[in-house]
Structure formats: structure tokens, C-alpha cells
Amino acid sequence: MVGFGQSQAELICIGHIVGVQGPVVEIACERLPPLRQALLTRFDHEAYLFEVHQHLDEHHLRAVTLHGTSGLTRGMPVYDTGAPLHVPVSADCLGRVLNVFGEPQDGGPPLAGGAFRNVHQPPPALRDVRGVSELLPTGIKVIDLLCPFFRGGKTGLFGGAGVGKTVLIMEFMHAIEAVHQGVSVFAGVGERIREGHELWHDMREAGVLPHALLVFGEMDESPGVRFRVALTALTYAEYLRDTQHREVLLLVDNIYRMVQAGSEVSSLLGRMPATVGYQPTLGTEIAEVEDRIASTAAGAVTSVQAVYVPADDLTDPAVSAILGHLDTTVILSRRQAGQGLYPAVDPLRSFSKLADRHSVGDRHYRVAEAVREHIARYRKLEDIIAMLGLQELAAEDRQIVHRARRLERYLTQPFFVTAQHSGLAGASVTLDDCLADCEAILGGRHDDWPEERFYMRGTLADAAS
């Protein structure tokens, strides 16, 4: 076990197991260790690690296993490790695949260096936090224009299967490395083994892996692992920010699975469910992760979190709790994907709370609103066009439809990470170029261009060539 390699003789026996209920173990103790303390027992030369979650009385506690419970029996001795869960940190962590304990999952050697970091770090002090006000360009036109990222901010990525979520996440990683010389930390919370394996191969082939760290808590693992793996990834992101002074992009897929794991644990601990059956500690558990994502004088941690929406209900208590912490909301639309408009970002439902005139400037705000107005008007006229035809519209409406369709196609973009599959060279577009091109389209300077000329291009200068 990484970081808990003492021999059994060196560890302090504090009690024994008196009951096992799923991933929750009840332990009788002579003295109670503090909450979140890491305990362990051994069976058949295997170490089982627990985390203290609840004190029942003066001599009994409940702990959640961070391994499977097969082989655990009543009466097994339990030892105090003397510390909470902690992971090894090292400058050579990039390019690696780790688990919740910081152990390598890619066949490589363990992380060297001998330094460890507690996964339960407090958030930065208020006096040390830098405000979220600086734009973080990604080079992706539709994101930078309509739902821009902010340095040290939090973005929610809402999308189902097949709409390009993983590709967009990989392109974010590429942009952070190429545009900002930063690094990425990916937290796979409850990922399927197949998905994690494919992501690792795709990132390696796209050349993104050397500047990224992958931390996985797989779907078949204990809910305790799925509950804590996001904290492990965040711990590595904080290490890269504070020690390496890097620009860090933290990607969490899927943070809703952390909520589900917490709900499983809460029920087995005997807590009374709250709204819609969620755990009563829901808000605290989400805030424990979100409040640590911040910029300091040493660097910034900017987060992109994939969020599953149960029954497409944004008023779900878990989704609402997560939304309350987000600065930017990106909705991936199956309608856009069905039309081949990639990235499939819905231009009308995606937004950023900070994208006001003060933060992004008058020009950016004005162009973004004009683009949304044209596309919204086009969506309202689609049924009329389908029934009566485009020629039945008034001349002004026909002009809006023509320009809106050109804007939709202009906001598509070939990605660097898909270049070897699509045959299209990736493109990164600066915000100034994007604004100038949108102003040209809105002003009618390219009304004579065919629509296909705008599709999957970088700037309009690329389309003209």
C-alpha cells in the first residue's frame, strides 16, 4: 500500500472488526481515531484500507472500505496508520495513470521522491485566493465566443453519449498545453474500464499524454474509492499548482458519480435520506471539492466537470448543488451532433455567469449577443420553413436565416486531437479573429459565399484560401 508500508509490528492495533455491511465495516476500538483517519487490516498478505466516517459511541466506529470486502471477517485486528489517506507526489507524475492511492496503473514504476500529500487539504485561505476575472482562451471558437472559460473558474460540461464530450475534453487538454504551456489532471470517477482504456490510448496517440495525469476510480470499485478519487486528482492538481507553479486544467468525468457514491455510503452509515433520497451531507461534500478549485499567487487550477443530469432535470438537487458552484455551463446538444456541427455546443443554452460587459468587454459582449439573436430567430422560423419553404419568409427574415446558418457552420472547427482520424488539420482561432469574422458575417460581407465554405474551418481567411 502506497504510503502505508509499515510492517504489522510497527502499526498500532486499536481494535477489531465486529461487523461488515457491504463496503461499511463496524470496528470496536479501545480508543477512537479521528474522522477521516486511515485504518488497515491484513488478510492473506493483502492490505485492506478503511477510512473512518462515523463514531457510534465511545468504543465503536463505522469506516468505509477502499477495497473489496471479500475475505474480511469478524475478529480481524485493525491497525491505525497514524494519518489520513495520502498519496505520493513527484515531479515525474505527468504522463502517468494512477489510482486513488497514487499507485501506478500503467505498468510503470511507482512515483519516486518520497514526498506525500494529504488528500483532505483545506481550501486556500481567502487572503491567498485570486479572483476569477481573467479570460482563459482555448482557441475553440464557440467556447471563447459564447461561453468563455475564466482562469481559476469552474465549468460544467453537460452531455450524453455520442455528442463529442470526450473529444472536447481532450481538445481542452491540448489547448492548455499548447496555448498556455499548462498541464492537465483527469479524474475518472466511476469510469468504465473500457472507457478509461480508450481514453488513455486516444490521448497517447494525440500526443496529449506527456502533459497530463490520469487518476481513475473505476465503476467496479468500492463506493469509497469513487467517493474519494476526485479528491486524489485535486490533490495532484494542487501539487502541480503550488510546487511546480503550473497552469492546471482539472477535468472530472463524471462528478455526478461522486454524488452517487456518497449516497451509497450515507445509506449504509444509517443516515436519514434528504430531498429525493440524496444524502443530507450533499452540499458539504460537493463544496469540499469545489472550494479547493482556485487560483493563488503560485498558479491556477481551472476545472471542467462533466455532469450527468438525471431525466434531463436541471432542478435535481444534486445538479442544482453543482450548478451553484459553476461559472460556465456548456450544453452539448444531440441536435447539433446529428447535423454534424462539431463541437456540438448548443449556442443558446450554453452561457457563462461572468460573460458581462465588464469582464469580456463591450465588443465581445455585443458580438456574442448578436450571434445568439440570429440563431434564436432562425430556430423560431424552422417550423415555418419546413412547412412553407424559405421563400415564403419576409426578406429580412430570409437574410437572418442565411446569416444564422453561416454562423452555425463557422462555429464548427477541426480539432488537433482528431486530425489523424478526420484527415482535417486542427485549427486554433484567437478571440480577436473570431470576433472579426463574426462581425463580417453579421454585417453581410460574406452573404455571397456558399454555406459549405464556412464548415470545419479556422478563420475566414482559411476559408477564402
Side-chain angles (χ1 to χ4, degrees):
M1 182 60 56
V2 170
F4 302 103
Q6 305 98 318
S7 68
Q8 190 157 320
E10 295 173 334
L11 295 170
I12 301 172
C13 181
I14 61 167
H16 61 277
I17 295 174
V18 296
V20 180
Q21 184 179 7
V24 174
V25 175
E26 188 170 332
I27 301 169
C29 303
E30 297 174 5
R31 60 172 182 81
L32 290 177
L35 294 176
R36 294 181 173 176
Q37 189 85 334
L39 312 177
L40 70 78
T41 189
R42 288 194 173 98
F43 172 75
D44 195 22
H45 306 292
E46 291 289 330
Y48 291 79
L49 198 67
F50 315 126
E51 186 178 65
V52 179
H53 273 252
Q54 191 176 53
H55 292 160
L56 298 176
D57 56 38
E58 292 181 355
H59 296 290
H60 291 84
L61 62 85
R62 285 191 180 127
V64 175
T65 64
L66 299 177
H67 296 86
T69 54
S70 176
L72 295 183
T73 60
R74 294 185 182 92
M76 292 180 70
V78 176
Y79 301 89
D80 190 348
T81 65
L85 178 64
H86 52 276
V87 294
V89 291
S90 170
D92 62 356
C93 62
L94 294 175
R96 302 301 303 275
V97 182
L98 308 175
N99 64 10
V100 69
F101 308 110
E103 297 172 330
Q105 303 295 293
D106 52 9
L111 295 183
F116 292 86
R117 196 171 177 120
N118 184 355
V119 302
H120 297 290
Q121 296 285 342
L126 284 176
R127 65 178 178 273
D128 299 327
V129 174
R130 297 294 183 266
V132 180
S133 59
E134 181 183 344
L135 277 174
L136 187 72
T138 64
I140 303 172
K141 292 180 286 189
V142 65
I143 297 290
D144 291 344
L145 176 66
L146 300 178
C147 42
F149 286 11
F150 287 82
R151 189 171 184 264
K154 309 176 189 74
T155 297
L157 189 62
F158 299 79
V163 295
K165 178 178 60 180
T166 301
V167 172
L168 194 55
I169 283 176
M170 289 169 55
E171 189 70 9
F172 290 151
M173 290 180 173
H174 179 276
I176 285 293
E177 185 272 322
V179 179
H180 303 283
Q181 289 74 52
V183 296
S184 302
V185 178
F186 179 88
V189 183
E191 284 282 290
R192 299 173 183 87
I193 295 174
R194 171 188 58 80
E195 292 175 336
H197 189 259
E198 290 176 355
L199 177 65
W200 177 65
H201 275 287
D202 289 344
M203 289 176 63
R204 189 172 60 172
E205 293 172 3
V208 176
L209 192 59
H211 305 280
L213 168 65
L214 307 184
V215 184
F216 284 104
E218 295 165 3
M219 187 174 285
D220 64 335
E221 296 192 79
S222 161
V225 171
R226 290 180 271 123
F227 190 42
R228 292 306 189 201
V229 68
L231 291 183
T232 297
L234 181 52
T235 301
Y236 280 106
E238 290 171 331
Y239 166 76
L240 292 168
R241 178 195 67 193
D242 299 337
T243 306
Q244 304 294 314
H245 305 291
R246 306 295 295 270
E247 185 87 38
V248 184
L249 178 66
L250 173 67
L251 302 117
V252 184
D253 186 13
N254 188 301
I255 196 166
Y256 183 80
R257 295 195 193 111
M258 186 195 80
V259 173
Q260 288 179 309
S263 181
E264 291 179 51
V265 169
S266 180
S267 298
L268 291 168
L269 291 173
R271 295 178 183 143
M272 183 70 70
T275 311
V276 198
Y278 286 110
Q279 59 270 41
T281 53
L282 173 66
T284 303
E285 291 168 3
I286 292 173
E288 184 179 6
V289 175
E290 301 289 357
D291 287 351
R292 286 170 58 182
I293 302 171
S295 296
T296 67
V301 176
T302 305
S303 175
V304 178
Q305 306 164 25
V307 185
Y308 169 70
V309 184
D312 293 329
D313 180 16
L314 289 173
T315 64
D316 180 88
V319 177
S320 297
I322 296 169
L323 276 171
H325 291 275
L326 300 179
D327 303 305
T328 301
T329 301
V330 178
I331 308 291
L332 296 182
S333 162
R334 199 165 298 281
R335 175 187 184 276
Q336 297 283 107
Q339 294 179 344
L341 301 176
Y342 288 102
V345 176
D346 190 321
L348 301 183
R349 299 172 64 199
S350 302
F351 65 94
S352 175
K353 294 177 182 177
L354 301 176
D356 53 24
R357 292 182 187 273
H358 174 73
S359 298
V360 301
D362 184 71
R363 183 193 181 200
H364 184 169
Y365 181 84
R366 176 172 40 81
V367 172
E369 288 301 299
V371 169
R372 281 199 177 94
E373 288 171 7
H374 276 66
I375 295 175
R377 181 60 179 165
Y378 169 45
R379 296 274 176 89
K380 288 183 178 180
L381 294 170
E382 279 184 319
D383 289 341
I384 297 175
I385 295 170
M387 290 185 293
L388 303 178
L390 183 62
Q391 298 306 315
E392 296 301 316
L393 298 178
E396 182 181 351
D397 285 339
R398 284 201 305 272
Q399 184 183 76
I400 289 175
V401 168
H402 283 305
R403 292 176 184 173
R405 288 176 61 85
R406 283 162 172 77
L407 286 168
E408 281 189 330
R409 281 148 185 78
Y410 171 74
L411 293 177
T412 62
Q413 187 170 341
F415 284 167
F416 290 96
V417 296
T418 59
Q420 58 185 340
H421 302 295
S422 66
L424 298 173
S428 178
V429 180
T430 66
L431 178 59
D432 285 340
D433 286 341
C434 179
L435 294 176
D437 289 346
C438 288
E439 286 174 333
I441 296 171
L442 291 167
R445 278 175 270 171
H446 301 289
D447 285 352
D448 56 334
W449 285 18
E451 291 178 3
E452 58 269 17
R453 199 167 179 179
F454 297 85
Y455 181 69
M456 281 296 172
R457 305 279 184 163
T459 63
L460 290 183
D462 298 330
S465 59

